[in-house]
Every structure is written in C-alpha cells, then in structure tokens.
Amino acid sequence: MRAPTPLAAGVEAADDAVPPLLAHGVGATHDLPLPPFYAYAGAFAALFVSFLGLALLWSSSRFRGDRAGRPLPATVQRLADARTTRTALRLLGLAAALTVVLHLLLGPDDPERNPAPGAVHVLLWVGLVPASLLLGPVWRLLNPLRTLHALLPAARAPRPLPAGVGIRPAAAGLLLYAWLELAAPDPASTAALLSFLAAHTAVHLLGAARHGPAWFAHADPFEVYSSLLARLSPVGRGADGRLVLRSPFHGLDSTPQTPGLVATLCVLLGSTAYDGVSDNPRWITTLQTSPLGPAPTATLGLLAAVALVASLYGLCAGALRLMDRELTHPLTSFAHSLLPIALGYLTAHYFTLFVTEGPRTVMMALGTDNAPAPAPPLAPGGLATLQIGAVVTGHVLGVVAAHDRSVRLFPPERAVAGQLPLFALMIAYTLGGIGLLVA
C-alpha cells in the first residue's frame, strides 16, 4: 500500500503507467524540502560525536540483557499471564483473521473499497511496529495460526527443530512478503492476498504439525518480526519469566544470537531500502522500459538491495574477525546493533502510510464505503525532519549497542579500534538511508 501523499507532476505521470503497488512507499520523499548537505552533515556529526563520546566515557559494558529490569506489580503480572487474557487475545486474533478472509472472498476487488489489503499491508505489517514497541511480542498472543494449531488434533509427537535452523525460515518468509508488497504485479488484489495467505497458512500449519508450536517462534515471519521489535520495548520478560520494566538497551542486548538473525535483519533493512528506491523517478522509468517487465525487474531490484545490505555487513564481520581471531561469531555477535537501524528505516518510510491509510482501513472495516484518507499530520518540512531524525536516531542507538558489546568482547586496548569497521558500516548505512530520503 502507498500513502496518499501526491508525487511531483512528472513522477505522477510516470506512476500512472506502473502497477500501483510497484510504486510502494510513503510518498514523495525526494521532494521533501530539506537541503541534502544539511541532512548528510547533521547525520555524520551525530554519529561521530556519539562514537567519540562513547570511546572516551564508556569503558565497560553496562547492558545486562534479561537480568535487568524492575518487576511490574503482581496484579499486572497475574492479569497478563491469566488464561482468560490469553484466550481472549487468541480469539481476537482469530476473529480479525477470519474477518480479513471474508472481506477478501466476498468484498470488491478494489483496495479503495475493501479494507482487507489495508489490514494486511498497513494494520498488520506497519501496525506491528508500534504495538510491539509498546507491548512486547504481541503477535505471539494474537497469531491466528497458533490458535488454529491448538484447535486441531495432534497427529503425532512433535519433532524438535534442528538447532541449526534458527529463524532462517522466518527470514525466507519475510523476503516472500516483501516481494508480495513491493514487487508483485498486483499485491493489493484479492487473488494475490488470498494466494499468499493460503500458502502462509498451509506451510505453517504443516510445520507446526511436525515440530509443534515452537515452529511459529522460528518460522512465522510476522511473529519473528514482532518478537525482534519487542527487544526494544520497555516491557519485557526477565530471566525468571516475570514481566519487567527495563531500558530498551537491555532488551536489545538480550537478542538471541540465533542462526538466521543476520539474514532476517538484512531482509528488513534491504526491503525497506528498496521501498525508498521504488518511488524514485529514475527507477520508475527503469521499470517501465525494462525488457524483463516491471515485476521481474522489481524482483531483481529487491534482491539486489537485500544482497547489498548483507554484503556490507559481511565485509564488516570479516574485518572484525581479522582484527581479533578470538572473536568466533563475528556475524551474530553484533547483529543486534542492526535492529534499531531497521526500526529507524521502518519509521521513516512507513509513518505517513500508517497514520493516513490505517484510519481509512478501520473506517472501511466499520462500513464506510470509499472512505477518504485523513490528511497527513505533518507538513513536508515536519515529515522530512521526522524521517531524517528516525534514520539518524536508529543509527546512533546502533552505535551505542555495538560499543557496549565491543567493550565486552574485545580486550580494553582494542575495544575502540575493534569497532571501527562497525562505525564505518553505520556511516555507510546512514548515508545510504538519507540518500533515499532526500535524493
């Protein structure tokens, strides 16, 4: 889904010839009234000052993962863990899913009149960001596939997932969803959404039938997506399982170094970066004139964006390994520092979409036919500031997380030098992210 912010006249004319969802995005980011020099200079200054300040003032690790946090009151604990609460959330998720499917089966094949596309592409995909940040891994409780699996009779004793699987299936699922959202010929059509949801349901119910409910925590892309974002929530679970209030940095530090973590975060970063490219006039022209056709060209562009993000991180991890041979897992040791960067990109690219298309989707679901989208809450200048600020803040938080992990893993004399590859990576990602917003 794209937000209703109009593009410049030339882009708008080009857009008419491209399938609407191939021009996915938040609007005319390249028209935002912010001089590129000031955006780049401010971002670099923020990163440099952060890095220098941390190097001088932060000499020992301060984050304690799931050992940190202040327990919430016992009443809140009991309410959150009550069977009634969990059952109500499961039924709510199942009812919402059935409502979406009924709209897809019986409603018009027009995203301007059918709330189902907005429910999937806006309320679910984008809405999970604020929901998970505020409340924790909410999709684990709402996931209708978990409810369906619990209702189905158990065919046989589940087999444990191999340890090397990690969350790699979720990374593949996120890439498939990103393709549907950003590169498929008509991602808002009822046929495309029904096909995706049918395949998604079949794969995960079969996986859960074989491996039990633990399958969803490793393979369901929306559940893994929500659980990762929840690492930055002020509400979390301590090592003893109790609900606690904590600094988001402690939650970030507790991110499991599981196989597939890097792939998952690179898919999130790369697909969001491609979304930023997709409304650029030059890319729209490329889609129109490509001999392969718009959808195959968009697919190659999406894969190239993910591969570029992964390659840069791989080079950084290789440099870290060369600097310290005792660092046995350079890929996963610092992968958690990519999560706030991904959050910054998601906020920058989808804020307008959520606050405009989200309410319109709700109005359509409540029966308003062809509901108008609310006006964007920010003027172009305000939107530019929010987008640049989100990208820069995400990278600064990533620098802090990487520094704390660095002083824990490296000897004191190499702690600062050891994170230079990470700092270079943060600069590259920052300049690229801002370039997508102001180019």
Side-chain angles (χ1 to χ4, degrees):
M1 301 289 293
R2 64 177 301 159
T5 309
L7 298 178
V11 181
E12 201 170 74
D15 236 2
D16 293 339
V18 182
L21 269 293
L22 289 180
H24 185 281
V26 297
T29 53
H30 45 273
D31 291 329
L32 295 175
L34 188 67
F37 173 79
Y38 293 111
Y40 288 124
F44 180 80
L47 286 177
F48 182 76
V49 170
S50 300
F51 178 80
L52 186 61
L54 291 168
L56 294 175
L57 303 174
W58 196 307
S59 59
S60 61
S61 176
R62 303 182 185 184
F63 303 146
R64 296 185 291 122
D66 57 11
R67 293 172 295 148
R70 177 175 297 180
L72 289 172
T75 304
V76 177
Q77 299 271 353
R78 287 195 297 269
L79 179 63
D81 293 333
R83 179 184 291 256
T84 303
T85 302
R86 292 175 175 268
T87 301
L89 291 173
R90 296 271 187 227
L91 293 176
L92 175 63
L94 185 60
L98 290 175
T99 301
V100 170
V101 171
L102 287 175
H103 276 291
L104 289 173
L105 291 172
L106 306 176
D109 191 10
D110 179 3
E112 298 298 319
R113 300 175 56 223
N114 191 330
V120 174
H121 292 308
V122 180
L123 297 182
L124 174 59
W125 177 246
V126 186
L128 274 178
V129 177
S132 302
L133 289 177
L134 292 173
L135 303 173
V138 291
W139 193 245
R140 188 180 300 167
L141 296 175
L142 293 170
N143 192 346
L145 297 185
R146 278 189 179 267
T147 306
L148 287 176
H149 170 70
L151 294 175
L152 293 174
R156 57 185 174 182
R159 299 182 182 181
L161 278 165
V165 170
I167 58 173
R168 288 189 175 107
L174 284 170
L175 184 59
L176 176 61
Y177 175 75
W179 176 84
L180 169 71
E181 186 194 23
L182 301 172
D186 194 4
S189 70
T190 56
L193 284 170
L194 282 171
S195 298
F196 171 79
L197 293 176
H200 178 79
T201 300
V203 166
H204 292 291
L205 288 182
L206 288 172
R210 183 177 180 84
H211 298 290
W215 168 264
F216 297 107
H218 292 265
D220 187 305
F222 300 108
E223 186 163 318
V224 170
Y225 171 62
S226 173
S227 297
L228 285 175
L229 291 170
R231 294 289 169 182
L232 290 164
S233 172
V235 179
R237 295 275 180 179
D240 58 359
R242 296 186 64 188
L243 283 173
V244 296
L245 281 178
R246 65 189 181 189
S247 162
F249 280 116
H250 292 301
L252 184 61
D253 188 68
S254 69
T255 305
Q257 297 179 35
T258 184
L261 175 63
V262 174
T264 301
L265 292 172
C266 287
V267 168
L268 287 176
L269 284 168
S271 60
T272 310
Y274 175 75
D275 182 31
V277 172
S278 64
D279 76 338
N280 186 283
R282 295 174 189 164
W283 182 247
I284 292 174
T285 302
T286 300
L287 294 177
Q288 292 174 327
T289 58
S290 171
L292 297 176
T297 305
T299 301
L300 291 176
L302 172 62
L303 294 175
V306 174
L308 177 61
V309 169
S311 298
L312 290 175
Y313 184 73
L315 289 173
C316 173
L320 289 172
R321 184 74 174 87
L322 289 174
M323 296 181 72
D324 190 340
R325 295 288 184 178
E326 296 181 2
L327 187 63
T328 54
H329 302 287
L331 276 174
T332 55
S333 294
F334 293 92
H336 70 301
S337 65
L338 298 181
L339 186 54
I341 299 174
L343 174 61
Y345 281 17
L346 289 165
T347 303
H349 284 273
Y350 293 119
F351 170 78
T352 302
L353 180 71
F354 184 66
V355 299
T356 55
E357 291 297 318
R360 192 170 78 92
T361 298
V362 173
M363 286 189 288
M364 282 194 289
L366 295 176
T368 303
D369 190 40
N370 201 20
L378 296 175
L383 178 60
T385 302
L386 182 143
Q387 290 179 317
I388 300 296
V391 170
V392 174
T393 300
H395 284 84
V396 170
L397 296 180
V399 168
V400 174
H403 177 84
D404 188 85
R405 184 65 56 87
S406 179
V407 297
R408 182 187 307 170
L409 296 180
F410 292 122
E413 65 274 11
R414 293 204 302 268
V416 174
Q419 50 187 305
L420 288 176
L422 286 164
F423 183 59
L425 178 71
M426 299 294 181
I427 291 175
Y429 282 169
T430 303
L431 296 182
I434 291 178
L436 295 175
L437 293 173
V438 303

